[in-house]
Amino acid sequence: MNTKEKKPIYKKVWLWVLVVVIIGAIYAGMNGTKNQANETTKSTNNSTSQSQPEQKTSENKARLTLDDGWKIDKSNQYLTKVVGTVSNNSNQAINGYIQITFSGLDASGANVGDCLANANTVDANGKWKFEAMCSGQNIETVRFKEITGF
């Protein structure tokens, strides 16, 4: 009878390939956030109490920016999402990964989930229309967290 001994998990090739891929993704994500300017937020006085990023001067403009006019869409009773547009303010297309994240807040302001959307490309000086799906229940407002792209 031909029986093979079972290798311990740390000796399996697929595990080390997975570890390298995860570390590479984390490293690339950290570099993507370095390329983005810090987004400070200010409260706006509208029906959904959203926070918008401050406007940037042309010489201090981030590569990826959240355009004004984004909003919460609660038209489906089972799903909350945030819809809007992100601009690529550079002369270089993004052909890797782009992600936008919002915090979902309940009526008391407590974080009850996250809303996120991602894409793979945005043309040079182009726009990305996103729909960030929210996890969590009883989301009344959202707060912009970050945009990453590489």
Side-chain angles (χ1 to χ4, degrees), residues 57-97:
T57 61
S58 59
E59 58 271 4
N60 190 26
K61 206 169 212 180
R63 181 176 183 191
L64 294 170
T65 55
L66 175 60
D67 295 348
D68 290 336
W70 59 274
K71 62 183 179 180
I72 296 175
D73 180 355
K74 295 173 109 180
S75 59
N76 182 326
Q77 68 180 6
Y78 303 108
L79 176 68
T80 301
K81 59 185 175 179
V82 181
V83 294
T85 307
V86 170
S87 292
N88 178 359
N89 301 304
S90 74
N91 293 329
Q92 293 183 336
I94 298 173
N95 292 313
Y97 184 79

Side-chain angles (χ1 to χ4, degrees), residues 99-118:
Q99 179 170 298
I100 187 164
T101 311
F102 296 84
S103 293
L105 310 173
D106 67 8
S108 71
N111 190 330
V112 292
D114 291 312
C115 309
L116 67 93
N118 53 55

Side-chain angles (χ1 to χ4, degrees), residues 17-148:
V17 170
L18 182 64
V19 168
V20 169
V21 168
I22 290 171
I23 290 172
I26 291 169
Y27 177 76
M30 283 191 241
N31 283 341
T33 57
K34 287 179 187 177
N35 292 337
Q36 135 195 357
N38 290 333
E39 296 283 346
T40 55
T41 58
K42 60 182 179 179
S43 293
T44 59
N45 189 13
N46 62 22
S47 62
T48 57
S49 303
Q50 300 171 354
S51 296
Q52 295 276 352
E54 279 186 22
Q55 295 298 316
K56 309 238 182 305
T57 61
S58 59
E59 58 271 4
N60 190 26
K61 206 169 212 180
R63 181 176 183 191
L64 294 170
T65 55
L66 175 60
D67 295 348
D68 290 336
W70 59 274
K71 62 183 179 180
I72 296 175
D73 180 355
K74 295 173 109 180
S75 59
N76 182 326
Q77 68 180 6
Y78 303 108
L79 176 68
T80 301
K81 59 185 175 179
V82 181
V83 294
T85 307
V86 170
S87 292
N88 178 359
N89 301 304
S90 74
N91 293 329
Q92 293 183 336
I94 298 173
N95 292 313
Y97 184 79
I98 307 105
Q99 179 170 298
I100 187 164
T101 311
F102 296 84
S103 293
L105 310 173
D106 67 8
S108 71
N111 190 330
V112 292
D114 291 312
C115 309
L116 67 93
N118 53 55
N120 292 325
T121 60
V122 176
D123 292 334
N125 297 305
K127 293 191 179 286
W128 166 41
K129 289 185 177 181
F130 67 86
E131 289 187 0
M133 303 302 172
C134 301
S135 64
Q137 296 179 352
N138 302 319
I139 295 174
E140 294 295 320
T141 62
V142 297
R143 180 177 52 236
F144 172 72
K145 285 174 64 175
E146 68 179 343
I147 302 171
T148 55

